Amino acid sequence: MTASSPAERADAAPRLGGTPVHERLRATASVLAPAVMARLVEQLPAYEALPSEQLRGEIAREVDRGIRAFTETLQTGELPGEAELARISESSARRADEGVPLEAVVGAYHFGAQECAARVLAAAEPADLPDVLLVQHRLLDYLRLVSCAVAAGYVQERQAALGDEQVARQELLSALLEGGDLRAAADRAGLPLPAGYLVLALTVGPHPDELLAGVNHAVADRRKLRRLRHELQRRTDGELLSRLSGDTGLVLIPDGASPLGPGGADRERLARLVDQLGHRCGAELLVAAATAAPGGVADAARLVAEVRDVARASGRGPGLYLLEDVLLEYQLSRPGPARDRLAALLAPLAGRPDLLDTLRAYLAGGLDRRRAAARLLVHPNTVDYRLRRAAELTGLDAARGDDQLTLRAALAAHDTARHGTEAPA
């Protein structure tokens, strides 16, 4: 006669030597629970580090309940119900709040079930093979269900904790930007208030995936920003505060942890960081930077946002910009009659972006027509023609020294006025 399979005997209570396994397990309960506890402490450092009062109390009770629940599963073939699973999830959530790693919490249930199985299966004989298989079958079903309940409770608690932590950090960021009790906000966020911050305003270009038809652009954008956040955190010490969404963002790096260093002088290092961040997130970055004490972060944030916008409006490429890099454009971006008059000098070129771009390229390239041609991807003779045409229309000759400064100022005023970049009210 062939042995029946575990599936065929699913409703039967497994027996070893004629004795039901669950009865064997109950008979060893007095020594089984201490053995499980000893194994947890010996093989799981996180449990060894728990207070002895907690081990003897709550953890011991959880072990005892786990043994009884597994014994019930062996006897009836029924897995723990919703109430028991909810209790397991709550216990797991408490371990998460205490900082016990998830793998240790799951491992505790595995060690307990394995210890139970080892105790009863040690007396198994060859003739008991169908019952041994049934015990193993119920053991795996029990662990599968319990592990899911453990993970669910643990993850839910960690998500709630991370959510609270994130809210507290955003409150600190808001206090820095809008005013408030900075020390209290830092304490709620669990962060030390540094002597100062490196303040970054970013413009984030599109990832190549965002330009492809048929691709979910929202997903591509979120992936890009997630890589940017991760790389920023990986390359700096201390805890960042950030607001990143769409194509712009603000980042605060604690001073001393920032690439500019305590004195804010290492520009080259920060410029390399900007290049590396762009490479890792797969998008071009235009970044404006300044340093400030906590009480000056709000002003610094407004300044770097304006510097970023001025650099972008004036056609600057990706990279790092400080106020010193755009002094002329920044000053001319302030509203007033002088800016309007300067911008009006280029009104005859309205509708001729080719002439405006040629003027920009020629002036930015050190008055070198060949360099301007290479930048514009045209022949040098085309550059000459366009410069002559612009001079005819405006009366300003880019080759004449007296007109060059006026043209630079007029271009800056034109670009900033066109993009609506101006000082905040």
Side-chain angles (χ1 to χ4, degrees):
M1 182 174 63
T2 59
S4 57
S5 68
E8 292 171 336
R9 307 184 64 248
D11 296 330
R15 295 170 176 267
L16 297 179
T19 303
V21 172
H22 63 275
E23 291 184 6
R24 289 178 177 269
L25 204 53
R26 288 198 180 103
T28 63
S30 59
V31 295
L32 183 55
V36 172
M37 288 292 299
R39 189 172 180 186
L40 296 186
V41 172
E42 178 185 349
Q43 299 191 29
L44 297 174
Y47 279 84
E48 183 183 15
L50 291 176
S52 58
E53 179 183 1
Q54 184 180 14
L55 285 171
R56 293 194 304 268
E58 181 184 359
I59 303 302
R61 288 193 296 273
E62 291 296 326
V63 167
D64 182 66
R65 292 193 64 147
I67 292 173
R68 286 190 277 114
F70 182 53
T71 302
E72 187 72 17
T73 295
L74 287 176
Q75 178 180 1
T76 65
E78 296 181 1
L79 294 170
E82 291 184 4
E84 178 65 13
L85 293 176
R87 188 197 60 77
I88 291 173
S89 291
E90 291 172 5
S91 175
S92 176
R94 290 193 294 274
R95 302 294 83 76
D97 183 57
E98 295 161 358
V100 179
L102 176 58
E103 60 269 22
V105 183
V106 174
Y109 284 91
H110 279 250
F111 285 154
Q114 289 168 2
E115 189 70 27
C116 290
R119 291 272 172 168
V120 296
L121 295 181
E125 299 290 343
D128 296 322
L129 178 59
D131 294 271
V132 170
L133 293 176
L134 183 56
V135 169
Q136 295 288 353
H137 180 74
R138 291 182 179 174
L139 171 66
L140 292 175
D141 281 347
Y142 174 83
L143 288 177
R144 172 185 55 79
L145 192 63
V146 167
S147 295
C148 290
V150 168
Y154 193 99
V155 170
Q156 184 175 4
E157 173 61 27
R158 287 304 301 148
Q159 286 178 336
L162 289 173
D164 292 342
E165 179 181 303
Q166 188 63 25
V167 167
R169 293 189 177 189
Q170 288 302 310
E171 289 177 351
L172 173 58
L173 180 57
S174 295
L176 287 163
L177 295 175
E178 301 161 13
D181 189 336
L182 298 182
R183 185 66 62 183
D187 290 343
R188 287 193 297 272
L191 297 176
L193 194 63
Y197 286 95
L198 170 65
V199 185
L200 305 178
L202 299 83
T203 291
V204 186
H207 187 277
D209 287 348
E210 296 178 72
L211 306 177
L212 297 177
V215 172
N216 188 321
H217 296 167
V219 171
D221 178 63
R222 286 194 294 270
R223 285 171 54 84
K224 172 187 67 181
L225 295 181
R226 185 167 61 248
R227 287 192 294 266
L228 177 57
R229 288 192 192 93
H230 174 77
E231 195 65 16
L232 263 169
Q233 186 64 73
R234 191 179 74 83
R235 291 184 176 275
T236 59
D237 298 325
E239 295 296 330
L240 305 174
L241 299 174
S242 67
R243 286 179 181 171
L244 296 174
S245 62
D247 62 351
T248 60
L250 177 73
V251 176
L252 304 186
I253 300 176
D255 199 12
S258 79
L260 287 186
D266 195 350
R267 177 196 177 115
E268 291 185 4
R269 187 178 173 197
L270 181 56
R272 288 196 300 272
L273 174 64
V274 170
D275 290 341
Q276 292 162 353
L277 291 173
H279 176 73
R280 291 294 296 175
C281 74
E284 293 183 337
L285 301 180
L286 190 154
V287 179
T291 56
V297 164
D299 290 337
R302 284 191 289 270
L303 173 64
V304 293
E306 292 167 2
V307 170
R308 174 199 60 196
D309 293 344
V310 165
R312 182 172 55 179
S314 58
R316 305 296 181 99
L320 171 69
Y321 295 93
L322 307 182
L323 176 60
E324 292 75 11
D325 300 319
V326 292
L327 281 175
L328 176 63
E329 295 89 341
Y330 182 86
Q331 188 59 37
L332 290 170
S333 70
R334 309 303 89 185
R339 187 189 74 172
D340 297 340
R341 292 284 185 89
L342 282 168
L345 293 176
L346 299 180
L349 304 185
R352 293 297 305 270
D354 56 329
L355 301 186
L356 288 168
D357 289 344
T358 300
L359 283 172
R360 289 192 193 93
Y362 181 67
L363 294 172
L367 310 181
D368 186 325
R369 55 192 285 274
R370 294 188 180 276
R371 185 181 300 176
R375 181 173 180 176
L376 296 168
L377 302 178
V378 299
H379 193 277
N381 291 341
T382 302
V383 172
D384 291 337
Y385 166 76
R386 291 178 179 177
L387 291 175
R388 288 195 303 270
R389 185 60 179 149
E392 292 171 359
L393 292 172
T394 64
L396 298 170
D397 188 349
R400 191 164 54 227
D402 292 344
D403 290 347
Q404 288 166 9
L405 181 58
T406 302
L407 278 169
R408 291 180 188 275
L411 281 168
H414 170 272
D415 291 338
T416 54
R418 181 185 56 172
H419 286 79
T421 304
E422 58 185 41

